[in-house]
Amino acid sequence: MTDNPANPWLVLAGLALGVTVTNGFARFAYGLLLPAMKSELDWSYAQAGWLNTANALGYVAGAILTMILIRRVRPTHLFAFGLVTTTAALLVTGLVTALWWQTLWRVLAGVFGAMSFSTAGTLAAQLFRDDPRRNALAIAILFGSGGGLGIVLSGAALPILLGQQGYGAWPWGWVLIGGTSLLFLPLGLWSASRLHAPRKSESMAIPLPLRRMLGELVGYAAFGMGYIVYLTFLSAWLTEQQATPLFIATIWVILGSCIFVSPILWRPVLARHASGRPLAMILAGIALGSALPVIMPGPAAPVISAVIFGLCVFMPPGAVTSFARQNLPPESWGAAIGFFTVIFAIAQTIGPYAAGLIGDLAGDIGISLLVAAGVLVSGAALALLQRPLDQD
């Protein structure tokens, strides 16, 4: 293994495919299947939201487990293990319709996905270590392009599948995304084998300056709580508005395509600022995208919303990874990114179930999108207060 692989962009592509599986598929494809599962299994919005809360609870456990294991196990091994097991969890989710089975595999997909996702940033940070601009681009591509590809693929396929075969075909949706994940495994595992990131115990442990990082931490928590509402309930809201399967697919493809190109937009911002400004700007964009479908009438609103939301939503992980890289020594990057992931994961558990309850009480899931936008705006304001650590 080497710190400077001969094909760094190919290595990055493999890491990004890992994010496609652990984020684009394991976390967000459920939002596309939710209307069918809710209808076929006679769920309330709260029950439908519960499955993504279950996934988020698993993500908390996985993030904490990763923080413990990172002291003894190399990030490369954690990334590879998480990628393989997440793929397996996706494949078996559709085998049984019972809520307990769905909950079990949503939890395990969260556990395993967190292990792979939270180490992917640490691995990508090893690329182009002597070139800050390329390093920032690599981090942005990892989170933006990886997740965007997953949403484009699932968004293009799943609504059309359900439209043609009926809502009863939702189990085949899980098989489809699990099978696609299998195709991505070889390059993802090869990329992990090309990189060396030290165990935390190989370097002197340096405590994280958490109090001085408070603005970034709270802003990232608001991101976890707010963004997931849109991705969980967007298809359900569009279905309530009598949108056709083709229109829903189009919206998700636009959303994923914008996620895919978002690193180009945010690369110079991430490279230029060591403060909380990039995270604040990104959260403001996510908030606007979340609110637009509800506050702006007409079919153009979901399209504009998908563009704005997509250009921003996968960039907070890149923002906090870049923040850690610019403000902390290399031996602290893994611990810092892991801690950010835990904070994010805990906050993420609140969003889906709470949004489902609000939707049930209001009789309109659109109200939940507005509440989520308010949470995101608050997080943006707090992140804006974060200064570079060397200026504190």
Side-chain angles (χ1 to χ4, degrees), residues 308-324:
I308 296 173
F309 192 92
L311 287 174
C312 299
V313 68
F314 265 38
M315 286 298 97
V320 298
T321 300
S322 183
F323 176 85

Side-chain angles (χ1 to χ4, degrees), residues 210-273:
L210 297 180
R211 185 173 298 179
R212 295 163 60 207
M213 296 164 55
L214 195 58
E216 195 82 353
L217 288 167
V218 175
Y220 203 50
F223 165 63
M225 193 181 302
Y227 91 100
I228 192 64
V229 175
Y230 183 93
L231 290 171
T232 300
F233 291 112
L234 173 62
S235 289
W237 186 85
L238 290 171
T239 299
E240 283 188 351
Q241 310 307 307
Q242 309 302 314
T244 66
L246 180 59
F247 185 75
I248 294 173
T250 300
I251 293 300
W252 279 82
V253 169
I254 291 171
L255 171 64
S257 299
C258 289
I259 291 172
F260 196 88
V261 302
S262 60
I264 299 172
L265 174 66
W266 291 104
R267 176 182 63 118
V269 178
L270 297 184
R272 187 180 307 125
H273 298 284

